Amino acid sequence: MNDLLPALGALVPSVGVGLLFWFAMRYIVRADRNERAALARLDAEEEMRSAAAVHSTVRGDGA
């Protein structure tokens, strides 16, 4: 039992740094995923507006 506590104490900093790294990477990956989704939505809206403008010009409605 006397050897167990120093061994666990030596592992605590490594586990703590590992958890910090995991949380940081998790945050970065989620932020990237959300940014890509937002850009995809913006691109889809822009494409829809562009197609509507071309469609109205072709029909002769004016723009």
Side-chain angles (χ1 to χ4, degrees):
M1 184 68 175
N2 288 339
D3 294 336
L4 184 62
L5 290 177
L8 289 177
L11 292 176
V12 168
S14 297
V15 171
V17 169
L19 284 173
L20 285 174
F21 177 77
W22 181 75
F23 279 116
M25 291 306 296
R26 181 178 168 207
Y27 175 79
I28 290 169
V29 169
R30 284 185 176 186
D32 182 59
R33 182 185 320 139
N34 292 337
E35 182 180 6
R36 288 175 186 259
L39 286 174
R41 280 192 306 269
L42 288 173
D43 287 343
E45 289 174 6
E46 185 178 316
E47 183 67 30
M48 192 169 30
R49 280 193 215 113
S50 176
V54 168
H55 182 69
S56 68
T57 303
V58 169
R59 284 187 14 205
D61 294 342

